[in-house]
Amino acid sequence: MHELSIVLSIIEIVAMEAKKSGAERVTEVHLEIGQLSGVEFDSLEFALKNFAPGSVIESAEISIEKPGGTARCCNCGYEFSIENFIGSCNLCSSFNLEIIKGRELSVKSITID
Amino acid sequence: MCETCGCGNPGEKAIIRVPGEDLKNQEDNLHGHYHSHPHSHDHHKEFEHDHEHDHPGISRKIVTVETDILLANNLMAERNRGLFEAKNLTVINLMSSPGSGKTTLLERTINELKEKIKFSVIEGDQQTMNDAERIKVTGVPVIQVNTGNGCHLDAEMINRAIKRLAPEDGSFVLIENVGNLVCPSLFDLGETCRVVVMSVTEGEDKPLKYPNMFRSVTLCILNKIDLLPYLDYDVSKAVEFGRRVNPRLQFIELSAKTGEGMGAWYEWLRGRLNGPG
């Protein structure tokens, strides 16, 4: 359940940005969490429900962009989409893959009043 | 988050102490958190929904943030890394599922090498001083981090622990992370190297089940090989699965109980004195 830590970090980042911008209220939080980031989305939802009340994101709508995985083969350079780390290159079968998309873990933007 | 004291980060709740130390006497331990945290809100937003809200008369503004959620941890990890470099410390982060034999591995390693290499140890567990007490018997400095509800060590805990541990320049610091193959993989501690310990009483497919962990390490120790005659465990399969998620993964097969194969591990450790390798 590192998702608890993830949510607390999100709240910290949002609180800092809201303060900097002189926000009265945060109405939306836009996150980008890749499908290979190691975050379990159900656990994240649970953690958000538990930690949002009383925090800066209490009345904010949370939207999450969930980019899928893209790998680049280190052997032949071919780029293709992957669902997990176990795949091999579709062209040359090499397991030597670099993950170039899908590990995102960031607060993209917030909407404030 | 807690309104009473402003706490909230699980990292802040970690209790750090040496064996035999009384909690009450420890100022570093941020007041122990014995107060309750009631949350009686019955309204909260659904996770994802796409309806629009209008707030007439109130100006709305979108603020671009673009901040890595793990930024605070990663910055602290870099501070740790700087500290380790300045003190010429070799810091090994050992991770595994519970019961794979990490503490036994540390005990034997320290006992057999302590005349030649200076060690100190940071033990991470949710509760108890048990592992620190075991390491204390070896005679090397040890500090226990109890993460409470936390499922992993983070860079801030290591920063606090390392200052109290005050390891000798040029020495090895062995970190035994909380037994968990999921969460610790995401948290950079500033370590020189990451190692996963897998025992042959677990399934060969652990690397496939926990790819985030096996991708994040440079070495996999396959422990408890003295039990192989009694098991159907296929070592070559485990190695194959490990290399499927991490083609550069090194393997060392050993038994921390009997001592078989420990030489390769010691050689690997000595090789880390000059950096990650």
Side-chain angles (χ1 to χ4, degrees), chain B:
Chain B
M1 275 197 290
C2 172
E3 296 292 330
T4 313
C5 63
C7 69
N9 186 343
E12 290 173 1
K13 292 181 194 165
I15 295 169
I16 297 174
R17 57 182 159 152
V18 295
E21 180 180 6
D22 193 336
L23 256 190
K24 282 181 292 191
N25 299 332
Q26 229 233 84
E27 286 182 8
D28 191 35
N29 276 325
L30 302 178
H31 63 248
H33 291 256
Y34 298 121
H35 53 268
S36 63
H37 294 205
H39 288 299
S40 55
H41 309 268
D42 52 4
H43 59 287
H44 59 72
K45 296 289 171 186
E46 286 307 313
F47 195 48
E48 281 179 277
H49 42 185
D50 50 13
H51 57 269
E52 293 287 326
H53 285 282
D54 285 324
H55 301 284
I58 300 172
S59 60
R60 300 176 86 193
K61 198 172 117 192
I62 296 175
V63 180
T64 305
V65 181
E66 294 283 0
T67 300
D68 189 327
I69 292 170
L70 294 174
L71 180 70
N73 186 76
N74 293 343
L75 288 176
M76 183 57 89
E78 285 308 323
R79 279 179 58 183
N80 289 349
R81 204 162 267 128
L83 176 70
F84 300 157
E85 273 179 30
K87 290 181 68 66
N88 198 20
L89 298 172
T90 305
V91 181
I92 311 289
N93 179 6
L94 283 156
M95 300 173 284
S96 80
S97 41
S100 66
K102 289 189 297 300
T103 314
T104 307
L105 177 71
L106 291 189
E107 285 174 313
R108 183 177 274 271
T109 303
I110 293 164
N111 281 328
E112 295 188 343
L113 296 186
K114 66 184 173 190
E115 303 302 327
K116 294 174 196 145
I117 297 176
K118 290 259 186 279
F119 287 104
S120 54
V121 176
I122 299 174
E123 282 288 344
D125 283 297
Q126 285 200 319
Q127 300 289 341
T128 83
M129 297 290 288
N130 293 355
D131 284 358
E133 298 288 357
R134 280 174 63 183
I135 297 298
K136 191 186 167 196
V137 175
T138 67
V140 304
V142 58
I143 195 155
Q144 179 83 45
V145 179
N146 285 138
T147 57
N149 292 323
C151 46
H152 57 269
L153 293 174
D154 65 31
E156 193 264 342
M157 295 176 199
I158 295 303
N159 189 269
R160 285 169 58 204
I162 206 88
K163 284 173 187 163
R164 291 214 52 211
L165 193 61
E168 212 172 287
D169 285 10
S171 66
F172 269 84
V173 180
L174 304 174
I175 300 173
E176 184 178 338
N177 215 313
V178 179
N180 179 340
L181 280 176
V182 183
C183 312
S185 71
L186 235 70
F187 291 83
D188 186 4
L189 307 179
E191 68 280 87
T192 317
C193 265
R194 301 180 139 211
V195 175
V196 67
V197 182
M198 175 163 70
S199 62
V200 299
T201 52
E202 305 169 43
E204 297 104 337
D205 58 353
K206 274 277 160 81
L208 302 183
K209 287 177 172 167
Y210 302 98
N212 278 304
M213 172 60 73
F214 284 82
R215 267 191 85 84
S216 81
V217 299
T218 50
L219 172 68
C220 175
I221 289 178
L222 203 51
N223 192 19
K224 306 190 187 180
I225 57 165
D226 54 303
L227 296 177
L228 280 174
Y230 315 103
L231 303 166
D232 293 328
Y233 195 87
D234 184 341
V235 173
S236 62
K237 229 185 210 175
V239 172
E240 187 206 322
F241 289 152
R243 298 226 166 107
R244 246 196 239 181
V245 294
N246 181 353
R248 285 170 290 273
L249 187 59
Q250 302 170 58
F251 277 86
I252 292 176
E253 299 162 33
L254 56 80
S255 166
K257 191 180 174 201
T258 65
E260 186 185 352
M262 292 293 284
W265 159 238
Y266 297 156
E267 203 177 304
W268 185 90
L269 268 182
R270 287 194 192 96
R272 300 289 82 69
L273 269 170
N274 303 318

Side-chain angles (χ1 to χ4, degrees), chain A residues 1-2 5-6 8-13 17 21 25 27-28 31 33 36-39 41 44-45 48-51 53-55 58-64 66 85-87 95-99 103 105-113, chain B residues 1 3 8-10 12 39 41 43-53 55 58-72 149 151-152 154 180 182-183 186-187 207-209 211-212 215 240 243-248:
Chain A
M1 273 299 282
H2 57 285
S5 307
I6 299 280
L8 291 170
S9 298
I10 292 170
I11 291 173
E12 241 170 63
I13 291 165
E17 291 295 332
S21 312
R25 207 163 67 98
T27 56
E28 280 171 49
L31 306 173
I33 299 179
L36 299 178
S37 65
V39 167
F41 288 102
L44 186 75
E45 180 178 3
L48 277 168
K49 282 183 178 170
N50 273 275
F51 284 115
S55 83
E58 177 168 31
S59 53
E61 287 178 34
I62 313 287
S63 63
I64 306 180
K66 299 173 183 172
F85 295 118
I86 301 160
F95 289 114
N96 200 353
L97 308 177
E98 183 192 356
I99 310 296
R103 308 196 73 173
L105 204 53
S106 72
V107 180
K108 297 289 280 182
S109 67
I110 57 173
T111 307
I112 56 171
D113 281 345
Chain B
M1 275 197 290
E3 296 292 330
N9 186 343
E12 290 173 1
H39 288 299
H41 309 268
H43 59 287
H44 59 72
K45 296 289 171 186
E46 286 307 313
F47 195 48
E48 281 179 277
H49 42 185
D50 50 13
H51 57 269
E52 293 287 326
H53 285 282
H55 301 284
I58 300 172
S59 60
R60 300 176 86 193
K61 198 172 117 192
I62 296 175
V63 180
T64 305
V65 181
E66 294 283 0
T67 300
D68 189 327
I69 292 170
L70 294 174
L71 180 70
N149 292 323
C151 46
H152 57 269
D154 65 31
N180 179 340
V182 183
C183 312
L186 235 70
F187 291 83
L208 302 183
K209 287 177 172 167
N212 278 304
R215 267 191 85 84
E240 187 206 322
R243 298 226 166 107
R244 246 196 239 181
V245 294
N246 181 353
R248 285 170 290 273

